[in-house]
Amino acid sequence: RYNGVSLRPGRILANPHFAILVNGRLAGWIGYERRRPGVYEIAHLSVLPRFRRSGLGKRATVRMLAQVRRTGGQVVYARIRRSNYAPQCLLRKLGFRRVKGGRVCKFAKRI
């Protein structure tokens, strides 16, 4: 289970995912998935509670965006529950704009 959503391990392992480490200890993870040529989705970003508000999510997202750009990405988006404010704020700080509302909001950015 990931943030309350069940995912098949094969789906997660078929796409790039990276551990976020602090002093060799797992602090979180981030992943992305190619949706179509040039378009990628931030599929999984999670920072464990005791490591939050330390900039780890921002640094991991910036590094992931650079990786996507190197692989030919032009647009990156993320879908976030409307009630999940922290990642919405993070994406706005990184220049993402909300392009779709509803129960699950969609944020996108050209890179």
Side-chain angles (χ1 to χ4, degrees), residues 4-26:
V5 178
S6 294
L7 297 173
R8 293 185 331 271
R11 177 176 170 207
I12 293 172
L13 296 174
N15 296 288
H17 283 75
F18 305 94
I20 301 169
L21 302 175
V22 173
N23 297 325
R25 297 183 64 199
L26 182 67

Side-chain angles (χ1 to χ4, degrees), residues 26-38:
L26 182 67
W29 53 88
I30 188 168
Y32 65 89
E33 297 180 9
R34 181 177 177 264
R35 294 300 182 197
R36 58 185 179 275

